[in-house]
């Protein structure tokens, strides 16, 4: 038994979509969330920059005594997860696998779209996964232009949020795509707009939040570091930005939790 917290890290608010699935699936586990905030968005940055931010974040979480780190950010995973695992080989570090595999295995049209940040799409991780599971599937890559900024500002439900999503999603409609992979952890917060737009086009929207939570559960068992069944979990929030940002993270997380 190990009641230490699991660390969850993202460039900002996006990893809360992973945090939410961890809360749901592992209600006795304490979680320590670090939303960078100061350097967000990561999407247009270089691998070197993102790797440096990820090292600072994991260093901080490890200093706080976490037993495992979940990189709740596709961009930081594609840039840095191997280097992080090399540096901290004594604790499990879980990266975010985009849901390309289930999309490839279930698509009927053999055409899927992956929505992610510029950096993630450049990294070819999506294409490699697609090739591994279905070499005949065409992968259309789309950047969710402006999505991260909208979620960071808490504008998901605003007309601005809806309009940004419309601009990106509309060109995909009627193009034969039947699976839409959300390859950035900020994007599930815009899922309601995305689903409203694709309705009637036979497009299924998939993300990887739940799969990551299942993987974390499996690793806790495997390393024998799960919390006691009667553990009273704590939820703490850290940032490299200011106290106001930290408070917003905490408030958003608690609002999410109250709806679970
Ligand atoms: N939430 C992040 C991801 O999953 C990164 C967004 C950003 O900072 O650009 O890719």
């Amino acid at each position: 038994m190990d009641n230490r917290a699991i660390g969850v890290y993202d460039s900002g608010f996006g990893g809360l979509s992973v945090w939410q699935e961890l809360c749901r699936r592992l209600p006795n586990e304490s979680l320590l969330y670090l939303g960078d905030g100061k350097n967000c968005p990561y999407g247009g940055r270089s691998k070197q920059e993102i790797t440096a931010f990820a090292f600072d974040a994991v260093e901080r979480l490890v200093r706080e005594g976490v037993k495992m780190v979940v990189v709740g950010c596709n961009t930081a995973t594609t840039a840095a997860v191997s280097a992080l695992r090399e540096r901290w080989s004594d604790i499990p570090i879980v990266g975010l696998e985009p849901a390309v595999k289930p999309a490839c295995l279930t698509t009927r049209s053999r055409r899927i779209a992956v929505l992610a940040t510029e950096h993630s799409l450049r990294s070819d991780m999506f294409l490699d996964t697609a090739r591994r599971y279905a070499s005949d599937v065409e992968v259309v890559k789309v950047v969710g232009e402006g999505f991260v900024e909208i979620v960071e500002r808490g504008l998901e439900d605003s007309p601005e949020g809806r309009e940004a999503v419309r601009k990106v999603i509309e060109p995909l409609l009627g193009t034969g795509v039947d699976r839409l992979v959300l390859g950035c952890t900020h994007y599930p917060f815009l899922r309601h707009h995305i689903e409203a737009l694709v309705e009637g086009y036979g497009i299924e929207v998939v993300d990887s939040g739940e799969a990551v939570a299942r993987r974390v559960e499996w690793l806790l068992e495997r390393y024998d570091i799960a919390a006691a069944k009667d553990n009273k979990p704590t939820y703490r929030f850290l940032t490299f930005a200011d106290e106001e940002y930290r408070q917003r993270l905490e408030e958003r997380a608690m609002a999410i939790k109250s709806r679970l």
Side-chain angles (χ1 to χ4, degrees):
M1 290 298 134
D2 187 338
N3 289 343
R4 287 177 301 159
I6 297 170
V8 184
Y9 154 61
D10 179 49
S11 64
F13 281 80
L16 290 178
S17 63
V18 175
W19 181 93
Q20 155 183 327
E21 297 305 328
L22 293 171
C23 269
R24 205 197 308 265
R25 191 161 192 101
L26 304 163
N28 55 330
E29 293 290 344
S30 292
L31 302 174
L32 176 58
Y33 186 92
L34 195 158
D36 177 335
K38 188 169 157 205
N39 305 297
C40 185
Y42 283 7
R45 294 179 182 273
S46 71
K47 184 180 166 91
Q48 286 73 12
E49 274 181 300
I50 300 165
T51 302
F53 301 148
F55 266 64
D56 287 349
V58 174
E59 176 101 59
R60 176 71 196 274
L61 289 170
V62 168
R63 229 187 310 130
E64 296 281 336
V66 298
K67 60 184 174 186
M68 179 192 282
V69 172
V70 179
V71 182
C73 176
N74 289 91
T75 309
T77 299
T78 52
V81 78
S82 314
L84 294 172
R85 286 188 180 129
E86 242 170 68
R87 165 70 184 79
W88 286 278
S89 51
D90 50 337
I91 57 165
I93 298 189
V94 183
L96 220 72
E97 281 267 347
V100 169
K101 178 181 168 186
C104 282
L105 296 178
T106 58
T107 173
R108 266 172 266 130
S109 66
R110 316 312 286 162
R111 197 153 199 254
I112 68 168
V114 177
L115 204 57
T117 67
E118 201 188 313
H119 182 277
S120 296
L121 292 175
R122 239 189 289 132
S123 81
D124 271 358
M125 185 168 170
F126 300 106
L127 283 178
D128 291 344
T129 312
R131 271 190 221 114
R132 212 175 332 134
Y133 294 104
S135 52
D136 64 329
V137 173
E138 188 193 342
V139 181
V140 180
K141 303 199 262 182
V142 188
V143 175
E145 207 60 64
F147 288 14
V148 170
E149 290 82 350
I150 282 162
V151 174
E152 286 294 307
R153 288 158 62 207
L155 296 177
E156 295 93 304
D157 293 317
S158 67
E160 199 181 332
R162 202 171 42 238
E163 180 54 18
V165 175
R166 190 193 61 72
K167 268 202 200 137
V168 171
I169 300 298
E170 249 179 27
L172 285 172
L173 304 176
T175 60
V177 161
D178 71 349
R179 294 291 179 274
L180 178 57
V181 177
L182 304 186
C184 167
T185 53
H186 279 73
Y187 300 175
F189 291 113
L190 295 166
R191 195 180 178 122
H192 52 304
H193 295 312
I194 299 172
E195 280 182 337
L197 283 160
V198 302
E199 204 186 329
Y201 286 91
I203 300 176
E204 199 180 302
V205 181
V206 279
D207 72 51
S208 36
E210 210 192 310
V212 177
R214 276 201 305 271
R215 170 100 186 128
V216 169
E217 186 176 33
W218 184 83
L219 285 167
L220 291 172
E221 292 303 323
R222 156 126 200 258
Y223 287 89
D224 197 20
I225 51 172
K229 291 278 169 278
D230 61 353
N231 182 45
K232 295 262 169 301
T234 59
Y235 301 111
R236 287 178 55 220
F237 298 84
L238 300 172
T239 184
F240 292 144
D242 56 13
E243 174 56 18
E244 193 233 315
Y245 188 89
R246 198 204 65 74
Q247 273 176 21
R248 283 204 293 124
L249 273 176
E250 181 160 358
E251 279 162 22
R252 185 96 65 97
M254 290 307 126
I256 290 170
K257 186 159 188 325
S258 69
R259 291 194 297 268
L260 289 181

